[in-house]
């Protein structure tokens, strides 16, 4: 026990099995140790929402009885508030992501779901780790209900076909997921409001390091009164992992572990086994080819590295206002771009590059003096930028060009070169206010609707070279005027209704409508190198001229040389440059600025 602590008495409080004062035997000792280690790890990442673990051990006078002790909180029996609860869970996942002690999936001690000990053996593969965890639960379920031939057939198909099909694509090619801390038993019995503060408290964890979506598996069951609303709220903070179209089936796979647990806990209730088998059959029937079916789909895409782009980006962008493309960069390409960006940032911070985004201004024009801090570097395609050839190869990359053509529904003969800038970690924390890029906040609802009906005539994107969670959007807001609540909100509102944090991993690209309601939150302690580009359509006219030329592009455009590109792309790129020159001469006079600070 902590120094100075003296036990005066022990008495039960409440009705939950959680508040019983101990456990017996070797299993009880293992459970108390696992609980302490699990809660201690959670407390390290969520100290305001996890009761502080104090001790675990064995009673001196009862050497076969064991205990776990933590701070006492008086809690109500209400279900957790959807907004605050999901925010707490998502923050724990984000703060712990990539911090597994050895970079692997698993946990350093045995933990228990109810009485079932989990196989927490470390693994480099999420597919392998989860298969082991599900196998352990199936073993315990069979002890309760006995063997079943139909279940055995389904089980074999799950391990041979379904698990590889749904989990292997998460870590295929350059795509990866980072282990984060999983509570693993997030049902309403283990998440209660503090009676005094009403903040959500989470406890009774069965922790391991795994895929963040695994923590949502228990939410699927109707018995837990969470379901879709809670999942939707959670994904406002953390985007769905790629392949996004597999999300619901992955969730069903993760939920299966909890359904099998319930079947094991209630041997006289056949409904849990029946329900689990129905879900297994659905997945087995849907994926008869297993991972081979996914591989065929992948092979059918012309550019294998651009998997995910074959999904209809235009329809996704039209519906949501943004679409994420998984990384198509090789490790060498990523390293080359990082090196070029590091050099550009060094020049900017030392005052040797005048084209900056300086603190605390959000919109142009910006000062060329970096002494107050910078958050961006302009004109990466400028002929005086030392690494302009590296940046040009990135901007005119075939994956980007083909995606823009698809989004705009045009050919290469319609494309116009526009902007390529670098967004960097600021020298102090810095936030952008909620805004649309080309519609001022003073616009009435009618003016907004009129402007939003106009064609965009361009596509813009962020290419993250490090994991980036800076962009926050309100999905669907690019198709409507602001609501009364959005108009009345603080310009830096931290919890705008319906907001979503766009989660980019290194190499990912997000294309987004520049008139979606969005803002940025930049932390000085988190590395950031995100390439921010736009590419236009010849029909864009004066609106696109203003958006591009307000950044001073016209001052160096005639000197821009693209001779570092491969022959075919160099010709395409130079035609795009000449179209921008023409746009500036015919539409660029007195264009002004889109927004003001």
């Amino acid at each position: 026990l902590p120094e100075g602590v003296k036990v005066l008495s022990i008495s039960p409080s409440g009705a939950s099995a959680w508040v019983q004062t101990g456990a017996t035997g070797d299993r009880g000792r293992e459970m108390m140790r696992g609980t302490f280690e699990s809660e201690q790890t959670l407390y390290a990442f969520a100290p305001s929402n996890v009761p502080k673990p104090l001790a675990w051990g064995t009673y001196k006078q009862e050497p076969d009885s064991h205990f776990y002790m933590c701070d006492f909180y008086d809690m109500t029996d209400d279900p957790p508030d959807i907004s605050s609860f999901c925010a707490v869970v998502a923050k724990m996942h984000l703060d712990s992501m990539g911090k597994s002690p050895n970079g692997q999936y698993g946990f350093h001690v045995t933990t228990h779901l109810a009485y079932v000990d989990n196989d927490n053996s470390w693994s480099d593969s999420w597919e392998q780790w989860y298969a082991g965890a599900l196998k352990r639960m199936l073993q315990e379920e069979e002890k309760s209900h006995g063997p079943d031939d139909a279940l055995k057939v389904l089980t074999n198909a799950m391990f041979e076909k379904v698990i590889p099909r749904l989990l292997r694509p998460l870590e295929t090619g350059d795509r990866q997921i980072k282990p984060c801390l999983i509570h693993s038993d997030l049902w309403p019995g283990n998440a209660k409001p503090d009676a005094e503060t009403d903040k959500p408290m989470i406890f009774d964890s069965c922790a391991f390091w795994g895929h963040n979506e695994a923590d949502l598996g228990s939410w699927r069951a109707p018995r837990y009164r969470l379901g879709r609303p809670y999942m939707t709220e959670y994904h406002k903070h953390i985007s769905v992992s790629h392949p996004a179209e597999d999300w619901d089936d992955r969730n069903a796979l993760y939920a299966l572990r909890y359904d099998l647990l319930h079947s094991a806990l209630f041997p006289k209730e056949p409904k849990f086994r029946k329900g689990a088998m129905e879900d297994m059959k659905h997945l087995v029937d849907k994926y008869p080819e297993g991972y081979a079916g996914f591989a065929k789909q992948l092979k059918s895409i012309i550019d294998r590295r651009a998997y995910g782009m074959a999904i209809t980006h235009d329809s996704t962008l039209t519906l949501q206002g943004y679409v994420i493309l998984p990384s198509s960069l090789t490790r060498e390409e990523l390293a080359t771009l990082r090196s070029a960006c590091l050099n550009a940032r060094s020049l900017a911070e030392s005052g040797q590059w005048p084209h900056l985004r300086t603190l605390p201004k959000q919109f142009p024009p910006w000062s060329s003096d970096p002494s107050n801090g910078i958050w961006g570097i302009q004109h990466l395609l400028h002929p005086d930028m030392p690494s302009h050839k590296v940046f040009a190869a990135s901007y005119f990359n075939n994956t980007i060009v083909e995606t823009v053509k698809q989004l705009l529904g045009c050919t290469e003969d319609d494309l116009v070169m526009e902007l390529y800038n670098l967004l960097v970690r600021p020298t102090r924390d810095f936030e952008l206010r909620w805004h649309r890029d080309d519609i001022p906040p003073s616009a009435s609802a009618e003016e907004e609707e009129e402007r939003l009906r106009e064609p965009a005539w361009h596509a813009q994107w962020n290419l993250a070279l490090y994991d980036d969670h800076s962009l926050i959007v309100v999905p669907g807001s690019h198709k409507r005027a602001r609501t009364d609540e959005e108009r009345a909100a603080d310009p830096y509102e931290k919890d705008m209704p319906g907001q979503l944090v766009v989660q980019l991993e290194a190499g990912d690209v997000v294309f987004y409508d520049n008139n979606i309601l969005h803002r940025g939150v930049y932390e000085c302690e988190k590395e950031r190198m995100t390439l921010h580009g736009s590419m236009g359509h010849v029909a864009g006219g004066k609106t696109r001229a203003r958006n591009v030329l307000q950044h001073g592009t016209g001052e160096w455009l005639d000197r821009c040389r693209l001779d570092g590109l491969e022959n075919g792309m160099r010709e395409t790129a130079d035609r795009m440059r000449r179209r921008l020159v023409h746009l500036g001469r015919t539409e660029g006079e007195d264009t002004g600025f889109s927004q003001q600070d």
Side-chain angles (χ1 to χ4, degrees):
L1 296 178
E3 185 177 352
V5 170
K6 182 178 180 181
V7 177
L8 300 178
S9 65
I10 299 174
S11 60
S13 172
S16 171
W18 166 258
V19 302
Q20 300 304 312
T21 56
T24 59
D26 291 340
R27 173 179 281 181
R29 186 178 189 279
E30 188 179 59
M31 290 175 69
M32 294 302 98
R33 182 194 178 203
T35 296
F36 179 82
E37 295 290 338
S38 180
E39 294 290 284
Q40 189 174 53
T41 308
L42 258 72
Y43 181 79
F45 290 100
S48 298
N49 303 95
V50 176
K52 182 179 180 180
L54 300 176
W56 76 279
T58 300
Y59 294 109
K60 289 183 178 179
Q61 295 181 351
E62 296 182 29
D64 199 42
S65 295
H66 317 283
F67 67 88
Y68 164 72
M69 182 181 293
C70 66
D71 278 350
F72 175 78
Y73 282 83
D74 187 17
M75 306 181 207
T76 70
D77 199 34
D78 299 321
D81 172 71
I82 184 171
S83 178
S84 57
F85 170 66
C86 293
V88 166
V89 175
K91 186 176 188 302
M92 180 184 73
H93 289 165
L94 286 173
D95 289 349
S96 63
M97 197 166 288
K99 297 179 181 176
S100 167
N102 53 17
Q104 295 179 310
Y105 304 101
F107 203 63
H108 61 284
V109 298
T110 299
T111 52
H112 293 73
L113 269 176
Y115 67 83
V116 180
D117 53 297
N118 295 286
D119 182 1
N120 284 334
S121 303
W122 293 106
S123 175
D124 290 321
S125 162
W126 171 241
E127 175 191 342
Q128 182 182 18
W129 190 92
Y130 188 78
L134 191 64
K135 181 178 181 180
R136 176 70 190 93
M137 203 59 71
L138 281 160
Q139 291 169 345
E140 203 64 33
E141 198 275 345
E142 187 173 286
K143 288 180 184 179
S144 292
H145 290 268
D148 181 277
D149 290 342
L151 177 59
K152 185 175 182 180
V153 171
L154 288 171
T155 297
N156 290 339
M158 289 292 296
F159 285 100
E160 293 174 6
K161 302 293 185 180
V162 175
I163 292 177
R165 168 59 186 84
L166 291 177
L167 301 189
R168 195 174 300 172
L170 292 167
E171 300 176 289
T172 293
D174 292 328
R175 189 181 299 116
Q176 62 177 341
I177 52 176
K178 294 184 178 180
C180 72
L181 187 61
I182 304 297
H183 179 289
S184 182
D185 199 11
L186 281 173
W187 66 291
N190 294 338
K192 299 290 183 184
D194 183 304
E196 183 177 347
T197 65
D198 209 36
K199 67 181 178 182
M201 303 300 296
I202 57 177
F203 47 91
D204 199 10
S205 60
C206 175
F208 63 86
W209 295 89
H211 180 209
N212 65 291
E213 290 179 6
D215 242 352
L216 280 59
S218 60
W219 299 7
R220 191 180 186 91
R223 61 182 175 269
Y224 289 144
R225 300 172 293 159
L226 298 175
R228 297 287 178 182
Y230 279 77
M231 296 180 195
T232 300
E233 183 68 24
Y234 172 88
H235 284 302
K236 292 178 181 178
H237 303 276
I238 301 181
S239 300
V240 169
S241 297
H242 298 294
E245 63 270 26
D246 289 347
W247 180 86
D248 189 63
D249 290 333
R250 281 199 306 267
N251 183 252
L253 176 60
Y254 295 150
L256 182 61
R257 186 164 170 253
Y258 300 96
D259 292 337
L260 291 169
L261 170 65
H262 269 73
S263 185
L265 294 176
F266 301 100
K268 295 182 180 180
E269 285 284 354
K271 65 180 181 181
F272 291 116
R273 171 177 273 193
K274 180 182 178 183
M277 290 179 65
E278 289 174 353
D279 290 341
M280 293 168 73
K281 187 177 187 305
H282 169 75
L283 294 174
V284 169
D285 289 346
K286 186 171 182 178
Y287 299 109
E289 295 183 297
Y291 182 77
F294 175 82
K296 288 180 182 177
Q297 178 188 15
L298 199 61
K299 191 175 181 180
S300 69
I301 300 170
I302 296 175
D303 184 356
R304 186 184 179 96
R305 290 166 52 200
Y307 171 70
M309 291 181 58
I311 304 167
T312 53
H313 298 322
D314 49 352
S315 61
T316 304
L317 188 70
T318 300
L319 179 65
Q320 296 290 337
Y322 76 99
V323 61
I324 298 175
L325 280 61
S327 175
S328 65
L329 295 176
T330 65
R331 292 180 181 177
E332 292 75 16
E333 289 170 337
L334 188 61
T336 298
L337 282 168
R338 285 176 175 175
S339 177
C341 290
L342 182 62
N343 182 52
R345 186 170 70 186
S346 297
L347 291 173
E349 291 176 340
S350 64
Q352 299 178 67
W353 187 255
H355 309 295
L356 311 172
R357 296 189 179 196
T358 51
L359 300 175
K361 278 181 62 63
Q362 176 167 342
F363 300 110
W366 288 284
S367 167
S368 60
D369 180 3
S371 59
N372 286 328
I374 68 170
W375 63 278
I377 298 160
Q378 304 282 87
H379 305 324
L380 300 182
L381 303 180
H382 194 298
D384 295 339
M385 169 62 69
S387 298
H388 71 271
K389 291 183 179 180
V390 173
F391 295 125
S394 169
Y395 179 86
F396 294 105
N397 175 275
N398 185 64
T399 297
I400 295 293
V401 172
E402 290 301 316
T403 303
V404 172
K405 285 164 56 180
Q406 181 183 355
L407 294 176
L408 298 183
C410 67
T411 68
E412 285 183 359
D413 293 335
D414 299 313
L415 293 179
V416 179
M417 172 181 142
E418 290 195 348
L419 303 171
Y420 211 34
N421 304 316
L422 173 63
L423 307 179
V424 298
R425 177 185 64 203
T427 47
R428 61 180 184 273
D429 287 353
F430 177 57
E431 297 184 12
L432 306 183
R433 62 174 169 80
W434 287 102
H435 67 286
R436 308 182 193 269
D437 283 355
D438 200 39
I439 302 177
S442 58
S444 66
E446 293 75 17
E447 290 170 333
E448 278 189 291
E449 289 173 351
E450 181 179 356
R451 294 284 291 275
L452 292 173
R453 283 193 292 267
E454 297 174 0
W457 297 126
H458 82 293
Q460 74 177 38
W461 68 92
N462 286 355
L463 165 57
L465 303 183
Y466 290 90
D467 291 359
D468 192 337
H469 308 153
S470 304
L471 177 64
I472 307 174
V473 302
V474 178
S477 60
H478 64 301
K479 300 190 298 181
R480 58 166 176 79
R482 286 168 293 166
T483 65
D484 291 340
E485 190 172 2
E486 289 166 347
R487 286 179 174 274
D490 185 272
Y492 300 93
E493 172 61 51
K494 297 184 182 301
D495 190 23
M496 187 72 80
Q499 73 173 39
L500 179 143
V501 179
V502 177
Q503 306 288 333
L504 299 179
E505 296 184 358
D508 286 353
V509 181
V510 58
F511 280 84
Y512 61 101
D513 190 302
N514 75 329
N515 279 327
I516 193 173
L517 198 59
H518 66 286
R519 77 186 195 105
V521 177
Y522 312 130
E523 300 178 40
C524 63
E525 297 298 324
K526 290 187 177 181
E527 182 60 279
R528 188 183 194 219
M529 290 182 182
T530 295
L531 294 165
H532 177 61
S534 69
M535 198 172 285
H537 190 291
V538 289
K542 190 166 187 174
T543 298
R544 290 313 303 158
R546 179 176 61 247
N547 275 278
V548 176
L549 299 175
Q550 67 178 342
H551 292 271
T553 310
E555 298 172 7
W556 52 268
L557 196 56
D558 282 330
R559 295 195 294 119
C560 180
R561 294 294 177 264
L562 303 168
D563 50 8
L565 298 173
E566 296 180 0
N567 287 337
M569 184 52 68
R570 182 173 67 234
E571 295 171 0
T572 297
D574 195 55
R575 286 195 295 269
M576 291 169 61
R577 181 194 65 82
R578 290 199 299 269
R579 291 184 197 111
L580 179 57
V581 172
H582 176 74
L583 184 69
R585 290 171 178 168
T586 57
E587 302 282 0
E589 186 177 353
D590 296 326
T591 54
F593 296 99
S594 299
Q595 298 271 23
Q596 295 182 356
D597 286 284

